[in-house]
Amino acid sequence: MEKNIENSFSGKWIRSIASNLRRIAVLCLVVALASAVWALTRKQYWTASAITVVPGGQQTSMGLAGLAGLAGDLLPDQLSGIGSMMNMGPTALDINLVFQVVTSRAVCERIIFKYDLLADMKVPTMDDALLEFRKKASVFLSPEGFFVVSMEADSRENAAAIVNDIIAFSNEELSTIITSRARRSRLAAEEFLSAAEESLLIAQDRMEQFRAETGLLFPEHQGVLSMDMLGTLETELILAEAELAGVSGTMSSSSTAYLEIARKVAFLRSSMMGKAAGDSISYFPGMDSMPAMLKEYENIAINLETRRAIYLMLRQELESLKLEEAKDSPTLEILVPAVPSALRSYPKRGKMVIRYTALAFFLSLLWIAVITYTKQLLDDSTTGPFWKNVLKISRSQLFPGRKRKKGYHRPS
């Protein structure tokens, strides 16, 4: 015979719900008010996010992945592992390196120190602060190779500023890590350039000392001028001697004109000898010391030009390596910058009230179901006596100090 719904468990449960509907409504109202008040006392947080990318990472990584899959299909079983190895190209290594740097302890500690998060988190050690910080900060790497950097903070401005600083600090850390041959070559070139610059300065100082000691500022030009000057003096001397020889037959050696011409010849002769030997007041060195000076000058000039050529070559190579390093080094480029959000991420008061109210409603229904099922077991003629006896024994075990009923005596 079909069981009547009125005497079934579901019918009794529905009747109990209808009988206690007012109490359920009051309970839900109290829970809604309590959850609303509790939500008002919670500290507010805002979330900011930025989308970044490693330049060249998407196309290269997807191309390598496709090539690796094709290689894995074409190669025999013994060599199928080579296809998976192709996925670990420079781009994959760069993306993994960037992810490790963004989530590194160094970047997190710089953020914590800059914004004084140790005091806000109320933690005793940096390790505890890092655990709390990583609960609020997150870095997600999408399958397409995009980095999503998010941060939850107690103000809109701080959330956006921390995200931007995480990206900036990560790029600074990446710039100090040696990850490519171009960077290693650049560091070596900087050391060589520093040594070449020091050597060039030594050669320049030696040239300056030589010019100060000898007076040869422009040796070739000064040599030509010295030769022209000596030629002019020799021409003047020959003319003066010819004139003196001409007047010697007609004039006395004691005459004024003869003495004047003789003095001119003596002066020109002494000037030529002084220019040939070099005097202290002349800007032109003597001709007898000029070959040795030019030889020393040429050695110093060759040394100086050699070091200058090496310095210029290393400097040009360094600039080329810097360009290659900037092109090949992994960096984070911002696609969508972090901006202060308009809506807070926590607490969502409306959702909290609805969630806790719904939870209270379902718990009340569950409690009524438990009570209804218990009453049904106790009222049933087949199971009631057993469960009542179990409850009586349990009560006597849990509360042994209760007064015994009158008329009961302990057997002697």
Side-chain angles (χ1 to χ4, degrees):
M1 183 177 181
E2 251 183 54
K3 197 172 182 181
N4 191 0
I5 189 172
E6 185 176 356
N7 297 323
S8 65
F9 168 74
S10 58
K12 294 179 180 179
W13 181 47
I14 294 173
R15 184 183 296 122
S16 299
I17 293 173
S19 303
N20 296 278
L21 196 57
R22 181 180 299 175
R23 297 178 181 175
I24 295 174
V26 171
L27 175 64
C28 292
L29 180 61
V30 170
V31 171
L33 291 175
S35 60
V37 173
W38 183 78
L40 289 173
T41 61
R42 298 301 91 195
K43 188 176 182 179
Q44 299 181 9
Y45 291 98
W46 282 264
T47 300
S49 300
I51 300 178
T52 61
V53 65
V54 178
Q58 293 71 35
Q59 297 85 352
T60 308
S61 61
M62 288 188 292
L64 285 176
L67 186 60
L70 180 61
D73 294 336
L74 296 179
L75 292 174
D77 296 337
Q78 292 80 2
L79 301 177
S80 59
I82 298 179
S84 61
M85 292 171 61
M86 296 177 64
N87 286 324
M88 294 301 294
T91 302
L93 293 176
D94 288 346
I95 291 178
N96 292 332
L97 173 66
V98 170
F99 183 80
Q100 295 298 325
V101 170
V102 174
T103 58
S104 65
R105 182 186 182 103
V107 174
C108 296
E109 284 184 352
R110 291 183 65 180
I111 295 294
I112 291 173
F113 283 127
K114 180 177 180 179
Y115 292 91
D116 195 18
L117 298 181
L118 280 172
D120 293 341
M121 295 176 182
K122 299 178 181 179
V123 291
T125 63
M126 177 57 70
D127 293 333
D128 297 329
L130 288 172
L131 292 176
E132 293 296 327
F133 178 79
R134 284 169 177 154
K135 291 179 182 178
K136 300 181 181 298
S138 63
V139 180
F140 172 72
L141 177 60
S142 66
E144 294 80 12
F146 296 100
F147 287 89
V148 182
V149 184
S150 302
M151 180 64 196
E152 187 180 65
D154 55 359
S155 69
R156 301 178 177 90
E157 294 76 12
N158 278 349
I162 290 175
V163 171
N164 293 328
D165 283 339
I166 288 175
I167 298 172
F169 292 161
S170 299
N171 282 330
E172 292 178 8
E173 292 292 328
L174 287 169
S175 66
T176 61
I177 298 176
I178 301 175
T179 58
S180 63
R181 285 186 294 176
R183 186 162 296 176
R184 289 191 290 270
S185 301
R186 190 261 298 171
L187 294 176
E190 286 181 348
E191 295 179 1
F192 293 149
L193 182 64
S194 177
E197 184 178 5
E198 184 178 355
S199 177
L200 178 61
L201 290 176
I202 294 174
Q204 289 176 341
D205 292 339
R206 179 68 187 93
M207 176 64 78
E208 181 183 1
Q209 182 182 0
F210 172 79
R211 285 173 171 169
E213 291 175 352
T214 61
L216 283 176
L217 301 180
F218 304 100
E220 293 83 1
H221 184 61
Q222 287 176 274
V224 172
L225 291 178
S226 297
M227 293 299 295
D228 291 341
M229 184 178 296
L230 286 174
T232 303
L233 287 175
E234 187 175 3
T235 303
E236 292 291 335
L237 178 60
I238 292 173
L239 292 175
E241 287 179 345
E243 185 178 358
L244 180 63
V247 298
S248 61
T250 57
M251 292 184 181
S252 173
S253 61
S254 60
S255 64
T256 305
Y258 184 86
L259 292 175
E260 182 180 354
I261 296 173
R263 291 191 187 98
K264 182 178 180 180
V265 171
F267 175 77
L268 289 174
R269 186 176 287 113
S270 63
S271 295
M272 282 193 64
M273 293 180 63
K275 296 301 179 183
D279 52 9
S280 59
I281 62 174
S282 177
Y283 287 101
F284 302 98
M287 294 304 297
D288 55 350
S289 61
M290 182 66 74
M293 290 182 182
L294 287 177
K295 179 181 179 180
E296 184 179 0
Y297 173 79
E298 288 176 354
N299 292 332
I300 296 174
I302 290 173
N303 189 20
L304 179 61
E305 291 301 323
T306 302
R307 298 186 184 190
R308 182 183 287 114
I310 293 174
Y311 175 79
L312 294 176
M313 180 186 66
L314 288 175
R315 186 160 186 172
Q316 182 180 5
E317 184 66 20
L318 178 62
E319 296 300 326
S320 301
L321 290 174
K322 285 182 178 180
L323 293 176
E324 185 178 353
E325 180 185 357
K327 180 180 67 175
D328 296 339
S329 297
T331 54
L332 281 173
E333 297 292 337
I334 300 177
L335 298 180
V336 180
V339 296
S341 59
L343 300 177
R344 61 179 176 270
S345 59
Y346 179 85
K348 299 291 186 180
R349 298 191 178 106
K351 292 182 179 179
M352 292 173 67
V353 171
I354 294 174
R355 182 168 62 251
Y356 290 131
T357 304
L359 181 62
F361 177 72
F362 286 114
L363 287 178
S364 62
L365 296 183
L366 180 61
W367 179 247
I368 292 175
V370 171
I371 296 298
T372 303
Y373 182 73
T374 303
K375 287 183 177 180
Q376 185 176 1
L377 288 178
L378 294 176
D379 294 339
D380 191 87
S381 58
T382 57
T383 60
F386 171 76
W387 287 111
K388 288 179 181 179
N389 187 28
V390 170
L391 291 175
K392 182 178 179 181
I393 295 173
S394 301
R395 193 181 299 114
S396 63
Q397 292 294 322
L398 294 174
F399 308 103
R402 282 191 175 183
K403 293 183 179 180
R404 302 180 182 276
K405 292 182 179 180
K406 293 181 179 181
Y408 178 82
H409 299 280
R410 180 181 296 178
S412 58

